[in-house]
Amino acid sequence: MQKANEMRDCLIKEFVENYMEKLFYFCLKKTGNNVEAEDLTQDIALQIGIAFNKGTIPENFSAWVWQIARNRYSVWAKDKHNRNESVTGSDIGDYEIEDKGGDILDEMIYTEQMALLRRELAFINRDYRNIVIAYYIENKSVRDIATSLSLSVSAVQQRLHRARIILKEGMDMAREFGKLSYNPENIAFVMNGMVGKSGEPWNYITRSLCKNILLAAYRTPSTAEELAMEVGVALPYMEEELRGLVDATLMKKNGNKYETNFFIVSADAQEKINVHLRAITPELTRAVISAMEYEINWKNENCPEWHEGYQPFEDMKWALLMVETDAINGRTLKPFNKDAKDVPNIGSWGHTLRPNGGEWDLLGMESYRGAKSDFVGLSGCVSNPDEKDLPEIWFRQYQFDFGGIKRRTPPFLAYADGQAMVAVAEGKSAGVDKSILKRLESYGYIKKTDNGYIPTIMVMRKNKSRKMKGGIREQFEALRQKATEIAIGHYLFCREQIYKEIPDFLKEDEFQIDHACANIFSMRGAVLEEAIKQGYLLYDKDNGKQMLGAYLVI
């Protein structure tokens, strides 16, 4: 008897401390009125007190409390209906009677599992989430929810029932966030083409969250819920990010799963490719230099005015070597790449047409910490999609990571800057906006003289350079072919590594496969590094020549 009394006292204490407040909110949701909720709460407490006085010791205390609460609410609802009907003659359908389908979830909501419910609400589809929040958190009736969502009462009840099942399954599950939620990874990108008017794709792919969503969906096509768990972000925020990434064509939705719409090369593949490249770079660089030197010597002898004498030849070699490397690169790729004219949705620049005026393609690379050559990019002077139909200005700037040169080099020139560069080269700087001239001067591309401005970079004129003919041309082509054969061997190795990693959803996209192979194959950085190592290119880290690698053709 004493043991039973002690048990009863413990249960009464637990009821007062842990259930009274929850019961009040339960009653408030059901009645929608503070006074009625307080009355109903007291009625439930009274019934529980009477049961204790009768010696009742329930086996499942929580279930027992909520069963009494629901029973007392049923009595309250029926009494209220009878009172109102006697006054107004209203039909019973005018009132929301207890939702019997809510037994499982209601018990969880008002018990210690509330934290689990909140967790699951963060990972349930928005079609269900909005209804659950309106019903359980905002205390709206089924009829009000149906009206606000333009749904039938039956549709709301069905979704609410389905949501209860999903939530119950989730709450019983030992969910675990994925590795990317606590250890986000980085991705480097190579973009070719022209950005969109709002900066696409860079306005997305510079953010850590977007990078890891793209990485997760590349490794395993996933639902929004699965991606939310993998990166540790609540579903409402994930859904918004996914909409943006799909609209920007960085992802695509296949059924209910999301797939990344471009290649991301693994760190392991990058390691193998870099090891192979380092092995062939000394011989490749010597072959590229031989072809370049042959052409320059011929030009110096046969058309000495092929460039203006603004820049010392030692500095010019930085751009000339990269131009020749790109020529070998193009010869290597031509037999393997599908003609862009045969590919749908390809623009005039040979890249995929994108929303918002963009025309670009992208390659991602997992974070790789092994030995690799400094990256060498290439930029021009067109930065606005509205300007792509204007006459092309052949200004190019190789972007050298080496020696911090890239940090002092603008990522691109606006079209007006390119026009100003041409005017300066033609001796017409007097008519150019002074603010543009000051900007170009700060970049190191021009300098002020007593007579105005002159370029400090290599300027070449198309009409002052003739073409090689006959045996001279054959000797030059033989030197280029030697370099090309070395490059082809490396390209085939790169292609082999890419093919080993192609995900199923990209296996049929030959254009993107070619794009990935071409960009992971890029040889500029390795040739630059080797040319410096061999002493062919000279660099003084204190000379501040950020214009290295820039040239203009007019």
Side-chain angles (χ1 to χ4, degrees):
M1 183 67 177
Q2 182 178 356
K3 186 175 181 180
N5 288 336
E6 290 176 354
M7 175 67 74
R8 184 186 63 187
D9 291 342
C10 287
L11 291 176
I12 292 173
K13 182 179 179 182
E14 181 181 351
F15 173 73
V16 173
E17 291 179 353
N18 297 326
Y19 284 86
M20 285 299 291
E21 184 177 359
K22 295 173 185 176
L23 278 171
F24 173 74
Y25 285 111
F26 167 83
C27 296
L28 183 62
K29 185 189 82 68
K30 293 296 187 181
T31 63
N33 181 285
N34 279 342
V35 175
E36 291 181 332
E38 289 175 356
D39 290 343
L40 181 56
T41 301
Q42 292 301 319
D43 178 47
I44 295 170
L46 177 62
Q47 296 301 317
I48 288 174
I50 291 172
F52 278 138
N53 288 334
K54 290 180 178 180
T56 301
I57 305 294
E59 291 184 6
N60 187 332
F61 182 64
S62 179
W64 178 73
V65 168
W66 292 108
Q67 186 60 53
I68 292 176
R70 286 190 291 272
N71 290 342
R72 296 313 301 167
Y73 166 69
S74 294
V75 173
W76 176 88
K78 188 174 294 184
D79 288 346
K80 181 174 182 178
H81 163 69
N82 290 336
R83 287 195 303 272
N84 286 325
E85 190 178 38
S86 66
V87 175
T88 66
S90 299
D91 185 79
I92 192 169
D94 295 337
Y95 299 97
E96 182 182 3
I97 304 303
E98 180 185 14
D99 184 357
K100 297 295 184 182
D103 291 358
I104 295 174
L105 187 58
D106 286 343
E107 183 175 336
M108 290 183 172
I109 288 176
Y110 299 105
T111 63
E112 63 279 359
Q113 297 188 70
M114 190 56 150
L116 288 176
L117 175 67
R118 292 193 187 101
R119 182 194 74 185
E120 290 310 308
L121 281 175
F123 296 103
I124 191 173
N125 184 283
R126 67 175 177 271
D127 291 338
Y128 297 125
R129 182 175 61 247
N130 293 339
I131 291 176
V132 170
I133 291 174
Y135 187 76
Y136 285 102
I137 307 299
E138 298 174 354
N139 296 309
K140 292 183 179 180
S141 68
V142 169
R143 288 184 180 277
D144 288 343
I145 297 170
T147 300
S148 66
L149 297 179
S150 300
L151 295 171
S152 66
V153 170
S154 174
V156 172
Q157 289 172 332
Q158 289 174 6
R159 292 189 186 183
L160 192 58
H161 175 71
R162 176 60 183 156
R164 289 185 178 111
I165 296 173
I166 295 171
L167 287 167
K168 176 65 167 59
E169 291 174 349
M171 293 167 78
D172 289 342
M173 187 188 306
R175 285 190 187 270
E176 292 185 5
F177 287 140
K179 181 180 177 182
L180 294 178
S181 66
Y182 60 85
N183 187 26
E185 296 183 31
N186 190 31
I187 309 176
F189 295 97
V190 176
M191 191 212 79
N192 296 296
M194 182 176 63
V195 299
K197 293 180 181 179
S198 297
E200 299 92 343
W202 295 111
N203 57 339
Y204 288 97
I205 60 178
T206 54
R207 306 202 316 258
S208 181
L209 175 58
C210 288
K211 288 181 182 180
N212 283 272
I213 292 171
L214 292 167
L215 188 58
Y218 183 81
R219 290 171 175 169
T220 307
S222 306
T223 64
E225 293 84 351
E226 290 167 342
L227 289 170
M229 289 301 300
E230 178 58 33
V231 301
V233 175
L235 192 56
Y237 306 105
M238 175 59 68
E239 289 168 341
E240 182 179 13
E241 292 293 330
L242 290 173
R243 281 195 296 273
L245 291 169
V246 170
D247 289 345
T249 65
L250 289 161
M251 300 187 80
K252 58 186 176 183
K253 192 174 183 182
N254 186 0
N256 68 337
K257 297 202 171 185
Y258 292 87
E259 301 167 349
T260 299
N261 211 16
F262 58 90
F263 279 88
I264 301 176
V265 184
S266 72
D268 181 61
Q270 292 177 63
E271 169 68 19
K272 292 175 181 176
I273 289 169
N274 276 296
V275 168
H276 190 270
L277 179 58
R278 286 197 298 274
I280 59 102
T281 295
E283 183 183 6
L284 172 66
T285 303
R286 286 191 291 270
V288 172
I289 291 174
S290 294
M292 186 195 89
E293 287 283 349
Y294 187 92
E295 181 179 29
I296 290 172
N297 290 334
W298 181 85
K299 283 185 176 181
N300 287 338
E301 292 177 6
N302 294 275
C303 38
E305 295 182 349
W306 64 278
H307 73 89
E308 307 293 342
Y310 297 118
Q311 190 179 40
F313 182 68
E314 286 300 324
D315 291 348
M316 287 172 54
K317 288 196 301 187
W318 287 68
L320 291 170
L321 183 62
M322 293 297 98
V323 170
E324 183 61 28
T325 301
D326 283 351
I328 302 301
N329 191 86
R331 290 165 63 100
T332 301
L333 297 177
K334 188 174 181 179
F336 299 97
N337 285 1
K338 186 176 179 63
D339 191 337
K341 295 178 181 178
D342 300 329
V343 181
N345 200 35
I346 299 298
S348 58
W349 290 12
H351 297 291
T352 305
L353 294 171
R354 307 287 182 170
N356 217 10
E359 183 184 328
W360 47 265
D361 288 293
L362 199 65
L363 175 67
M365 290 178 285
E366 287 184 5
S367 182
Y368 167 65
R369 298 181 180 179
K372 58 182 177 180
S373 302
D374 291 322
F375 178 72
V376 179
L378 178 64
S379 65
C381 70
V382 175
S383 60
N384 189 325
D386 293 333
E387 296 168 340
K388 69 178 182 179
D389 294 327
L390 294 175
E392 184 176 12
I393 294 172
W394 197 263
F395 169 84
R396 296 293 183 267
Q397 168 72 68
Y398 285 99
Q399 302 277 348
F400 301 120
D401 275 347
F402 175 83
I405 298 173
K406 184 178 179 180
R407 293 195 299 270
R408 304 191 299 273
T409 303
F412 52 79
L413 290 188
Y415 194 83
D417 294 330
Q419 290 176 314
M421 286 289 298
V422 173
V424 169
E426 293 179 339
K428 301 175 182 178
S429 62
V432 178
D433 186 319
K434 287 184 173 53
S435 64
I436 296 178
L437 293 173
K438 287 291 185 185
R439 182 164 61 248
L440 293 173
E441 186 178 17
S442 71
Y443 294 154
Y445 295 146
I446 63 176
K447 68 179 180 180
K448 190 172 179 55
T449 67
D450 294 338
N451 299 320
Y453 286 88
I454 61 171
T456 61
I457 64 174
M458 178 169 61
V459 178
M460 295 181 284
R461 295 184 179 272
K462 291 181 181 178
N463 60 355
K464 290 191 177 182
S465 179
R466 298 193 301 273
K467 292 184 178 180
M468 296 178 185
K469 295 181 180 179
I472 299 295
R473 183 72 189 178
E474 290 177 3
Q475 291 180 43
F476 175 58
E477 288 298 328
L479 290 171
R480 273 193 167 176
Q481 184 59 28
K482 180 179 179 181
T484 302
E485 288 172 359
I486 300 170
I488 287 175
H490 179 59
Y491 176 77
L492 292 174
F493 182 86
C494 293
R495 199 170 182 90
E496 180 184 357
Q497 303 312 308
I498 291 293
Y499 267 93
K500 287 179 179 178
E501 296 190 343
I502 297 176
D504 289 339
F505 55 86
L506 285 175
K507 282 185 175 177
E508 303 303 318
D509 195 335
E510 293 183 19
F511 183 79
Q512 287 302 320
I513 292 173
D514 288 343
H515 180 263
C517 293
N519 281 275
I520 199 66
F521 155 73
S522 180
M523 306 178 297
R524 290 176 191 156
V527 171
L528 175 78
E529 186 179 274
E530 183 63 25
I532 294 171
K533 182 179 177 181
Q534 293 179 12
Y536 183 74
L537 294 182
L538 303 177
Y539 180 73
D540 180 355
K541 65 180 180 181
D542 299 320
N543 68 10
K545 291 183 178 179
Q546 64 262 40
M547 78 292 295
L548 289 174
Y551 68 98
L552 179 69
V553 180
I554 57 177

